[in-house]
Amino acid sequence: MHRRSLLAVPAALALASAPGQARAQDKKSLAFVVNVSADFWTICKRGIEKANREHPEFSMEMIVPGQASAAEQRRIVDELLARRVAGIAISPINPANSTEMLNRVAAQSILFTSDSDAPNSNRMVYIGTDNVAAGREAGKQMKKSLPNGGKAMLFVGTMDADNARERVQGIREELQGSEINIVDIRTDESDIARAKRNVEDTLARYADINLLVGLWAYNTPQIYQAVKGAGREGKVKIVGFDEDALTLRGIADGTIDSTVVQQPYEFGYQSMVGMVKVLNNDKSFIPANKQIIIPTRIIDKSNVAEFQKQMRDLLRGA
């Protein structure tokens, strides 16, 4: 995923002081902790808001870390546990190194994961994308973009996140036997400026690069801007993930071939509704494998206009 348009964590965690806010604090609280700020998560927030309208007896919030790090997520979680929240859904930045923190959550409240799973933790359920399958879909789009093969570069925030590793796994599986060669994977630690520099450096170093692939929501817009800045539109193909407005603009103007979109609205809605069910002693919705998979879609020139309108409506809160 991801950067833009959400409140930083100190504001989100500020203690209520007005009488109305104090009454709201009497409600059971449910929190969704994301990994970085992005329109992707704004859409998720709309799903949370819908769940809260349906269950006004709860207080539901989304919390965005001030910086995209496992340490910052840990600080947020500690503060939430101190507030005795009833449930936390989280997109863990570094699941492998966050097991102890996640298990502390699971011992004190409900723990769901979303977007990026932590299967070795005691999370109750994962709600989100099958990222290996999503990677395979991206691989199919890469083959459409380069039917005769060529050189590709992948870009992502960090390979520590399960969703990044799984997407790459799916891409590699789909590309087996093809003539597409992945030159490298460039990471940026969720630093937008660095993400763009990575693309600019690739374009400068590899005159024969054929395809650039953004694996997180903010990567594809940076690819788009760097390619346009270098005057390489049409010469370098682009495939992305998620539905950033610049990504959709790039598809509409023909610079980007396609993007694999998730359904973050459902991540937020189903996570909150699911935690409400658990608090009401209903776990029947949780499958045996503890994964609720939300399917992806492919957005390309054929359907981008309709999809852009849907996203504008969601981002406005319509």
Side-chain angles (χ1 to χ4, degrees):
M1 300 205 60
H2 323 311
R3 220 182 201 91
R4 211 175 287 125
S5 73
L6 293 174
L7 294 175
V9 67
L13 290 179
L15 292 176
S17 55
Q21 289 174 311
R23 285 194 297 272
Q25 281 192 312
D26 295 335
K27 300 178 181 181
K28 286 185 178 179
S29 294
L30 302 174
F32 196 121
V33 181
V34 307
N35 49 16
V36 71
S37 179
D39 281 350
F40 178 91
W41 291 118
T42 306
I43 295 165
C44 177
K45 189 178 182 183
R46 297 293 176 254
I48 293 170
E49 290 166 354
K50 179 187 177 186
N52 213 164
R53 288 193 298 271
E54 293 177 0
H55 298 280
E57 70 276 18
F58 290 88
S59 175
M60 301 178 184
E61 62 183 321
M62 170 174 281
I63 301 176
V64 185
Q67 61 183 45
S69 70
E72 178 72 353
Q73 280 192 326
R74 191 174 300 113
R75 187 189 70 77
I76 292 167
V77 163
D78 286 343
E79 210 161 332
L80 288 171
L81 292 177
R83 287 169 49 194
R84 300 183 183 278
V85 296
I88 297 174
I90 186 169
S91 175
I93 289 173
N94 190 336
N97 292 328
S98 302
T99 303
E100 181 272 334
M101 177 267 286
L102 294 170
N103 286 347
R104 277 194 294 111
V105 175
Q108 298 178 55
S109 67
I110 297 166
L111 173 65
F112 286 9
T113 54
S114 185
D115 181 54
S116 186
D117 198 8
N120 294 324
S121 73
N122 294 331
R123 58 99 169 103
M124 191 170 290
V125 67
Y126 165 73
I127 298 177
T129 301
D130 178 337
N131 282 293
V132 175
R136 292 194 198 102
E137 290 301 317
K140 290 175 184 175
Q141 296 306 305
M142 292 168 69
K143 290 194 292 188
K144 280 187 180 180
S145 294
L146 294 181
N148 298 317
K151 294 182 178 180
M153 185 76 78
L154 310 186
F155 300 88
V156 73
T158 173
M159 288 299 291
D160 288 334
D162 280 5
N163 63 356
R165 287 195 300 270
E166 290 168 0
R167 288 175 192 181
V168 172
Q169 176 188 334
I171 286 171
R172 291 192 187 280
E173 288 176 2
E174 184 63 34
L175 294 183
Q176 283 181 0
S178 79
E179 295 299 317
I180 297 176
N181 173 43
I182 296 174
V183 176
D184 201 359
I185 303 169
R186 298 292 172 86
T187 60
D188 52 62
E189 304 306 322
S190 299
D191 181 326
I192 297 294
R194 183 174 162 189
K196 188 176 181 182
R197 286 197 303 272
N198 282 348
V199 183
E200 292 168 340
D201 178 67
T202 296
L203 292 171
R205 286 178 179 235
Y206 299 92
D208 59 346
I209 201 75
N210 305 111
L211 173 64
L212 306 177
V213 182
L215 298 184
W216 280 6
Y218 65 82
N219 289 114
T220 311
Q222 301 313 309
I223 294 170
Y224 172 69
Q225 293 183 93
V227 167
K228 286 185 76 69
R232 302 278 289 276
E233 306 100 309
K235 300 172 185 175
V236 178
K237 301 287 189 176
I238 304 173
V239 169
F241 266 85
D242 300 321
E243 56 284 87
D244 186 279
L246 271 181
T247 298
L248 300 180
R249 183 194 302 176
I251 293 172
D253 71 24
T255 306
I256 299 173
D257 285 356
S258 60
T259 186
V260 181
V261 300
Q262 305 176 81
Q263 297 191 62
Y265 185 93
E266 292 297 328
F267 294 4
Y269 178 75
Q270 294 196 34
S271 291
M272 290 298 160
V273 169
M275 287 193 285
V276 169
K277 288 179 179 178
V278 172
L279 288 167
N280 289 326
N281 299 312
D282 176 11
K283 297 181 183 178
S284 62
F285 67 97
I286 299 177
N289 68 358
K290 297 184 178 181
Q291 292 185 330
I292 296 174
I293 300 302
I294 311 297
T296 58
R297 294 180 59 192
I298 301 298
I299 303 301
D300 57 21
K301 193 86 169 179
S302 70
N303 58 3
V304 68
E306 178 187 0
F307 189 74
Q308 281 176 306
K309 182 183 184 306
Q310 293 171 3
M311 291 304 101
R312 284 194 296 267
D313 290 346
L314 279 175
L315 290 170
R316 283 199 305 264

